[in-house]
Amino acid sequence: MAAECDLRAAPIAVTRRAAQRRPSPPMTLIAVLRHLAFAATLALLSAATVRLMIAVRVLDHPNARSAHREPTPKGGGVGIVLAFLVGVVVLYRYADFARLADPYFLAVIGAAFAIAVVGLLDDLLNWPFTVKLTAQVLAALVAVGSGLYLRDYRLPYVGGFYVGWLGPPITICWIVFATNAMNFIDGLNGLAAGVTLVTCAFLAVIAEAHAGWFAYFAALLLAAGVAGFLPFNFPRARIFMSDVGSQFCGFVLAVLAVVASRFQGDELSFLVVPMLLSGVLFDVAFTLARRLLSDERITQAHRGHLYQVAARAGIPAQAVALLHAGFAAFGGLVALAFIAASGTAKPWIPLLTLLPQIIWLAYVTRRARQARLDQW
């Protein structure tokens, strides 16, 4: 119990030195089964909520940018958000050892909830992008204002160095970019949900191995919510996740990347979540760069993301979604290899996540030319 109290009182996690003195024992099978049973219960709650949202029938009517042809209910992300928040309440009440210190914990959960509320209202009212962006920046400011931001960065051969005043702005930019990336990628059935589910599964495994208990439980709770939603969205969509779900998933994963940067034992551990989200981040970064170089207005709606171009070029939407889930799984394997590696190869391992993206880019470009898609 003393160890649990010490961890509860620490800002994010115990220090590297303390962790070396008190290595965390592996989780017992009984504990794993209990956690999975709890996650399954939350998945059922999510599924029931999603089914209710289908009955409510807030419809997404197709337009020139849509991948669907028939009016389809939206707001399925409400089930994801509700399952996560119920799980967090239980975590806050009964699992002190897995909580961040109160200022961090309350700020992160409050900001995530605010993101979800703004996303839901946007689904209902179709607010302009500037409103969503403002909400994202404010939510990031709340998280960073609580003290949850990158403080130091570890480089192989060099060690750690304090990033100083750059920590908060870097963290804000990361949170806003990752939140929007998940929002932008939510354009095909099962794509955003599949990526989130695979990312959370790997992150939970990695966090458990390094006694990152908040990251472990948060990833498990988010995975449970997505698991309850996914059967209603893939392979055929009875409902869409919409902004309420995609922005919420992006924000939570972005914050967990910062939490992961406090894992005690691994250099550059901030890269764990970016490696898992490599497919999403590459697609969005490439699309933004291409549109900026083409002098296009980046806030204008379009169908020029790589996954959208792939679907327009004739690649089945289900295959594109499964491929992106595969990208997340590949990123997870690369992250595990990175953590296990030592020596001169370690700094280069994260770059392996670029290899499938480059191949994918070349393939989509070729298919687009064959389909005569001159306008991306």
Side-chain angles (χ1 to χ4, degrees):
M1 181 61 70
E4 293 181 358
C5 292
D6 290 342
L7 182 58
R8 161 68 179 82
I12 300 294
V14 292
T15 63
R16 177 190 298 268
R17 183 179 302 171
Q20 290 173 345
R21 289 198 307 263
R22 297 179 309 188
S24 177
M27 191 178 297
T28 66
L29 177 60
I30 296 298
V32 171
L33 293 177
R34 278 204 309 265
H35 298 164
L36 291 178
F38 181 55
T41 302
L42 293 176
L44 292 175
L45 172 63
S46 174
T49 306
V50 172
R51 186 65 187 85
L52 177 62
M53 292 302 296
I54 293 175
V56 171
R57 293 188 66 78
V58 178
L59 296 178
D60 187 336
H61 295 276
N63 54 44
R65 297 179 289 102
S66 302
H68 61 291
R69 298 180 180 179
E70 300 292 335
T72 304
K74 60 182 178 179
V78 172
I80 299 173
V81 175
L82 181 62
F84 182 88
L85 293 179
V86 168
V88 162
V89 169
V90 175
L91 178 68
Y92 191 84
R93 176 64 179 85
Y94 296 106
D96 281 358
F97 73 96
R99 283 169 50 188
L100 305 177
D102 280 352
Y104 304 98
F105 192 94
L106 297 176
V108 167
I109 301 306
F113 178 71
I115 282 285
V117 170
V118 171
L120 179 60
L121 292 175
D122 179 57
D123 290 334
L124 298 173
L125 304 174
N126 293 316
W127 282 340
F129 175 74
T130 51
V131 175
K132 294 192 292 185
L133 181 61
T134 300
Q136 293 163 4
V137 172
L138 290 175
L141 285 171
V142 169
V144 170
S146 72
L148 187 65
Y149 56 85
L150 293 175
R151 299 176 184 273
D152 52 35
Y153 203 66
R154 298 195 61 80
L155 291 171
Y157 319 122
V158 176
F161 63 90
Y162 184 63
V163 298
W165 64 269
L166 289 174
I170 289 174
T171 306
I172 291 171
C173 290
W174 157 250
I175 291 175
V176 172
F177 180 76
T179 301
N180 274 297
M182 288 301 296
N183 187 214
F184 293 156
I185 212 73
D186 183 31
L188 290 180
N189 297 343
L191 201 160
V195 168
T196 301
L197 186 60
V198 174
T199 296
C200 288
F202 273 96
L203 184 57
V205 170
I206 293 171
E208 188 278 332
H210 295 81
W213 298 119
F214 177 76
Y216 164 77
F217 276 107
L220 191 65
L221 299 179
L222 188 58
V226 172
F229 163 80
L230 193 54
F232 296 94
N233 184 247
F234 186 83
R236 183 180 68 87
R238 297 170 59 190
I239 191 169
F240 296 142
M241 180 187 292
S242 303
D243 285 1
V244 61
S246 60
Q247 291 192 75
F248 182 81
C249 290
F251 182 84
V252 172
L253 291 174
V255 169
L256 290 182
V258 182
V259 173
S261 71
R262 310 293 181 87
F263 287 171
Q264 301 95 317
D266 296 298
E267 298 167 332
L268 291 173
S269 57
F270 171 76
L271 293 180
V272 169
V273 172
M275 281 188 278
L276 289 163
L277 295 178
S278 55
V280 172
L281 299 178
F282 181 88
D283 188 308
V284 173
F286 172 81
T287 302
L288 289 176
R290 180 187 58 77
R291 299 192 74 206
L292 285 172
L293 292 174
S294 300
D295 202 26
E296 299 179 27
R297 194 174 69 177
I298 60 174
T299 58
Q300 184 176 358
H302 63 95
R303 295 183 65 195
H305 284 281
L306 283 175
Y307 76 90
Q308 293 172 320
V309 174
R312 290 164 53 199
I315 302 174
Q318 292 89 346
V320 176
L322 290 173
L323 184 65
H324 272 271
F327 289 155
F330 180 78
L333 294 176
V334 172
L336 292 173
F338 173 78
I339 291 171
S342 60
T344 58
K346 189 179 181 75
W348 305 103
I349 290 177
L351 297 178
L352 290 175
T353 57
L354 292 176
L355 180 60
Q357 303 310 315
I358 293 172
I359 295 172
W360 174 238
L361 171 61
Y363 180 69
V364 171
T365 302
R366 183 170 69 86
R367 288 293 297 262
R369 287 173 180 168
Q370 293 173 344
R372 301 184 184 276
L373 295 180
D374 298 326
Q375 181 63 42
W376 279 30

